Amino acid sequence: MILRQLHDSHAEAETVRELALAAFGPLSPGPAHRPTEAESVFHRARTRHLVAHDPQGCWLAVVDRRPVGFALSLRREGVWVPALTAVLPDFQGKGIGRLLLDRAAEHGRGCLRGMTTVSTDPAAARRYRRAGFTLYPTMRLTGETDRSALLQVGELPVHRGTERHLDLLDSVDRRVRGAAHGVDHRLMLAHYEELLVVDTLAGSGYCYRDGGTVKLLAATSRRLAARLLRETLARVPHGTRAEVEHATAEAEWAVDVGLDLGLTLENAGYLALRGMRPPTAYLPDGAFL
């Protein structure tokens, strides 16, 4: 087996996408479905983005000239994020995933903090726990939003976010998770449907929405986060299934908002953290955390 760095090319981005599909099925969590073209475009773009900005954190495993697995990771201001690791089913259980993660971890050397999301797969949970991560169970809320329960919507001065708000987004990130997302915000702005921003004397926050899915939410207080989540769910189109992911017990405000709006609660894997506690006014994005 050979481990080699990924290259910023459409062909290798497509290889990563195909390996992820073979290893996991759908590229997005939740009920099985065929990935949309927009999802496929995003995942290819994310791979090329990470390879361009974090080449030493992105690796491909090759056996007899056949790609069998990969690891994508990034580091931002002292936080290392192993974004995604996958191995083809026929090659799982052979230590390839561990070797990929170990090689990607060299890119995070010196980072005091780390975070990632982990599926319910026992092997994945074991891999990250042995890598020194603490596993915090997460919850997912799904369903159609109860419009009759949205009476409080409109109480926040919410604005549509643009590149003009990048400094504000990074400032909120640093307060909430200890590091900015930096260049990752530009990719999210380009591919997610909507960015909502609030900046008041009481605090600041933002939330990305893509269709019915809340992709990433960060705010300087739980009260502001809860109100921002309600505002975001109010903008989910009628008839579209809403989805709020990666809520830990520390994000009970998100659970309360979802239940108030008629969403269904279920268990959904782990938030894996190293050197840090779960952020409270925060819902991580599975793509960039």
Side-chain angles (χ1 to χ4, degrees):
M1 184 192 70
I2 299 173
L3 295 182
R4 64 174 175 81
Q5 278 185 248
L6 282 160
H7 299 290
D8 181 11
S9 71
H10 179 84
E12 290 214 334
E14 179 62 19
T15 295
V16 167
R17 189 187 76 90
E18 291 174 353
L19 287 171
L21 283 171
F24 302 126
L27 288 171
S28 297
H33 70 282
R34 289 181 60 84
T36 65
E37 180 58 27
E39 288 175 321
S40 297
V41 168
F42 171 75
H43 280 269
R44 285 191 290 265
R46 180 183 70 154
T47 297
R48 299 189 66 177
H49 172 83
L50 294 180
V51 171
H53 292 282
D54 297 84
Q56 294 178 330
C58 301
W59 294 86
L60 189 70
V62 180
V63 174
D64 295 330
R65 298 184 179 181
R66 176 190 178 189
V68 300
F70 69 88
L72 302 176
S73 73
L74 60 142
R75 56 181 297 167
R76 299 288 180 266
E77 298 185 351
V79 172
W80 176 59
V81 177
L84 187 62
T85 302
V87 178
L88 290 178
D90 290 347
F91 291 85
Q92 293 176 7
K94 303 179 185 297
I96 295 175
R98 177 180 55 79
L99 291 174
L100 282 165
L101 187 60
D102 287 347
R103 184 61 61 88
E106 295 177 9
H107 181 52
R109 185 176 298 167
C111 290
L112 298 179
R113 300 180 301 279
M115 61 190 308
T116 190
T117 55
V118 182
S119 70
T120 55
D121 176 31
R126 181 171 58 251
R127 184 182 308 133
Y128 284 100
R129 179 62 191 130
R130 288 180 173 174
F133 286 82
T134 299
L135 304 177
Y136 296 91
T138 59
M139 296 165 278
R140 178 189 300 127
L141 292 139
T142 58
E144 189 166 347
T145 302
D146 180 3
R147 300 282 162 177
S148 66
L150 287 170
L151 300 179
Q152 298 178 26
V153 170
E155 62 187 72
L156 275 180
V158 173
H159 307 283
R160 185 75 179 251
T162 68
E163 288 191 0
R164 294 186 295 105
H165 295 99
L166 289 177
D167 288 342
L168 172 65
L169 304 186
D170 282 344
S171 176
V172 174
D173 287 339
R174 291 185 182 106
R175 288 188 60 180
V176 176
R177 69 194 282 268
H181 281 92
V183 293
D184 303 327
H185 278 302
R186 294 187 180 276
L187 189 71
M188 288 186 271
L189 274 169
H191 286 271
Y192 293 158
E193 182 176 341
E194 184 177 43
L195 168 65
L196 300 178
V197 173
V198 59
D199 187 22
T200 70
L201 293 176
S204 305
Y206 69 86
C207 185
Y208 286 97
R209 178 184 64 82
D210 196 30
T213 302
V214 176
K215 285 293 187 179
L216 171 63
L217 186 153
T220 54
S221 72
R222 283 174 288 188
R223 182 170 177 268
L224 187 61
R227 291 166 62 188
L228 185 56
L229 180 58
R230 291 180 69 90
E231 293 278 350
T232 303
L233 290 172
R235 296 169 187 250
V236 173
H238 284 271
T240 299
R241 177 177 178 269
E243 190 164 0
V244 180
E245 304 175 295
H246 312 309
T248 63
E250 284 76 4
E252 283 187 329
W253 54 268
V255 174
D256 291 340
V257 169
L259 294 179
D260 286 347
L261 299 183
L263 304 187
T264 299
L265 184 67
E266 61 182 343
N267 295 328
Y270 307 91
L271 176 63
L273 301 175
R274 189 166 67 185
M276 59 188 296
R277 295 281 300 171
T280 53
Y282 192 71
L283 294 172
D285 174 44
F288 298 106
L289 279 290

